[in-house]
Amino acid sequence: MNSILQHDLNDFENILHTTKQHGINFLNNLENIPTTNNYSIDPKKELNELGLGSLGALEEFKKRLEPLLVSSPGARYWGFVTGGSTPASIAGDWLASVYDQNTQATTSQGGNSALIEFETIHLLLQLLGLPDTFLGGFVTGATMSNFTCLGVARQWFGKQLEKDFAKNGISETINILTATPHSSSIKALSMLGIGSQNYTTVKTIEGNREAIDIVDLEENIKKLNGKPFILISSAGTVNTADFDDFEAISKLKEKYKFWWHIDAAFGGFAAVSDKYKHLVEGWEGADSVTIDCHKWLNVPYESAFYLIKKEHINLQIETFQNSNAPYLGNPLENFNYLNVLPENSRRLRALPVWFSLTAYGKEGFCDIVEKSASLALHFGNALIEDGNFELLAPIRLNNVCFTLKGDENQNNVAQFLTKLNDRGKVFMTPTFYENRKGIRASFVNWRTTENDVKIVIQEMRDVVSEF
């Protein structure tokens, strides 16, 4: 064995202890770490001939690379719908690395860690109030979850025309209807060969809404003259957290033939709260659902899961099976995740989620969801009371979409946000809503408090005063 590797093996406990302490120091100091920075490095580093060993690498990381990292797990990182990481989820994530499983099978001599994934999906279905008619699994994020779901939808569409798109390629135009899709769904359409521009945009409800206009949806369905189609709907649009009417869509599904996909990346967790679960009523009728865990479930990146109705398992296997690997056996007799989703190599992503659900239960996550929604309203009210800002849309859940007050200030929005973010106390993202430049703040982090809102409002006042 290489001498440095042998030394690390002998010093393993000390290496993990030192690394743990470094991580704890980072987490304990989140309040003082900026939400953005301008630090940079020259990434064209020469590879060390002999190696520094683990502790030597840690020291170089601390000096050169750590300054690149911002407090994205912190209480005032409000961009991109970014959750933090709860203590239980970090424990689960660390152990996922320690155990280092390639999570695939439920009955195999080579390891049955997929049973942990099965159990975790079962717990998530209970958390979300969904029936066990869904089969689920973990992927890296909403993009790959949408990709997985829409990949099976693509196969379903082909089968309606008695064609096997997975084996023979796409030979027909696939009809897609949607109103306000997230960019990850559009990216998935591109990767699936369907085409990022190959969809029909349905009107949204009048009155500052991003949800599907059901009347216009049915009009578009009628224009297809009975042809099959795929509907991409939303449980929480990215700008204003708007929800499509799932009960109305369920009724349309009784009349027309289509695959119904819901992108519920963060909005699906509204189901956890008695106050907000009405927003997802009827969603159990969908064929597939996308949900992120590194958003409102507050586990480390990368973590999301898909839910696809069990009745579509054959389509799912046709789409993703490793058909040229006979040693894997019959995919229907020997369940293996590599036959039902994109990746063949998979870490035990379910474990941080399992730890979180087991540690905090339904009540814990209900508290996070309701507190986040309450803080969003609190922030929105503070913006209005300040007088320098105005809301671009009603606050429906946890996203606040706003801008500088007055059309004359539209040209100042980008500069204002840049200056605000550069101060390092908060991070928010720019947006564009109903032809106006805006800013979006998303509340999902378990650490955020009313005091954080107070700090941010003061920061914003200070920046406005500079104009």
Side-chain angles (χ1 to χ4, degrees), residues 181-304:
H182 187 264
S183 59
S184 63
S185 291
I186 304 306
K187 187 174 184 177
L189 295 180
S190 174
M191 293 190 293
L192 287 164
I194 296 172
S196 60
Q197 296 183 345
N198 182 34
Y199 64 90
T200 299
T201 302
V202 179
K203 291 179 182 177
T204 54
I205 301 171
E206 292 183 3
N208 205 346
R209 296 289 304 275
E210 291 186 302
I212 288 174
D213 183 321
I214 297 297
V215 174
D216 190 60
L217 173 59
E218 187 160 17
E219 288 300 313
N220 277 279
I221 293 173
K222 290 177 180 177
K223 290 176 184 177
L224 292 172
N225 296 317
K227 294 177 182 177
F229 67 95
I230 298 168
L231 174 67
I232 302 175
S233 62
S234 299
T237 55
V238 71
N239 263 334
T240 67
D242 208 350
F243 287 71
D244 292 328
D245 186 340
F246 300 142
E247 291 184 310
I249 294 173
S250 295
K251 292 178 181 177
L252 290 177
K253 212 168 189 307
E254 296 172 2
K255 297 169 60 178
Y256 304 100
K257 185 186 294 185
F258 63 96
W259 180 284
W260 178 16
H261 174 62
I262 300 177
D263 185 338
F266 69 89
F269 287 103
V272 179
S273 164
D274 287 340
K275 289 183 180 178
Y276 299 107
K277 67 181 182 182
H278 66 277
L279 295 170
V280 293
E281 284 182 6
W283 71 327
E284 67 277 0
D287 294 286
S288 59
V289 183
T290 282
I291 301 183
D292 254 332
C293 297
H294 52 234
K295 289 185 170 66
W296 233 337
L297 204 63
N298 281 261
V299 305
Y301 279 86
E302 309 152 331
S303 184

Side-chain angles (χ1 to χ4, degrees), residues 42-58:
D42 180 0
K44 295 180 180 179
K45 181 181 182 293
E46 291 294 322
L47 178 63
N48 188 292
E49 190 70 28
L50 298 177
L52 303 176
S54 294
L55 294 181
L58 178 60

Side-chain angles (χ1 to χ4, degrees), residues 27-240:
L27 293 172
N28 287 342
N29 195 40
L30 273 176
E31 176 72 21
N32 301 313
I33 296 170
T35 53
T36 190
N37 63 48
N38 296 315
Y39 178 80
S40 185
I41 61 168
D42 180 0
K44 295 180 180 179
K45 181 181 182 293
E46 291 294 322
L47 178 63
N48 188 292
E49 190 70 28
L50 298 177
L52 303 176
S54 294
L55 294 181
L58 178 60
E59 284 304 311
E60 179 162 341
F61 166 79
K62 288 161 64 174
K63 292 176 182 176
R64 291 187 61 249
L65 305 187
E66 188 181 31
L68 288 167
L69 308 181
V70 299
S71 60
S72 54
R76 294 190 298 277
Y77 197 92
W78 298 349
F80 307 116
V81 197
T82 304
S85 297
T86 58
S89 71
I90 292 175
D93 199 60
W94 281 7
L95 286 177
S97 293
V98 169
Y99 287 106
D100 195 23
Q101 304 291 294
N102 184 10
T103 301
Q104 300 289 3
T106 56
T107 53
S108 170
Q109 287 184 317
N112 300 331
S113 60
L115 287 170
I116 297 173
E117 191 158 342
F118 265 49
E119 179 167 302
T120 306
I121 293 294
H122 182 62
L123 294 174
L124 285 165
L125 289 173
Q126 293 175 66
L127 179 72
L128 300 170
L130 286 169
D132 65 358
T133 51
F134 289 97
L135 175 70
F138 284 85
V139 290
T140 56
T143 301
M144 288 312 297
S145 180
N146 282 324
F147 178 88
T148 303
C149 294
L150 293 173
V152 183
R154 181 188 66 178
Q155 186 71 353
W156 172 88
F157 187 95
K159 285 303 176 78
Q160 307 313 301
L161 307 176
E162 299 184 349
K163 302 200 175 190
D164 189 333
F165 287 169
K167 285 184 177 178
N168 303 313
I170 300 173
S171 56
E172 305 286 340
T173 298
I174 299 177
N175 304 309
I176 311 282
L177 299 180
T178 188
T180 317
H182 187 264
S183 59
S184 63
S185 291
I186 304 306
K187 187 174 184 177
L189 295 180
S190 174
M191 293 190 293
L192 287 164
I194 296 172
S196 60
Q197 296 183 345
N198 182 34
Y199 64 90
T200 299
T201 302
V202 179
K203 291 179 182 177
T204 54
I205 301 171
E206 292 183 3
N208 205 346
R209 296 289 304 275
E210 291 186 302
I212 288 174
D213 183 321
I214 297 297
V215 174
D216 190 60
L217 173 59
E218 187 160 17
E219 288 300 313
N220 277 279
I221 293 173
K222 290 177 180 177
K223 290 176 184 177
L224 292 172
N225 296 317
K227 294 177 182 177
F229 67 95
I230 298 168
L231 174 67
I232 302 175
S233 62
S234 299
T237 55
V238 71
N239 263 334
T240 67

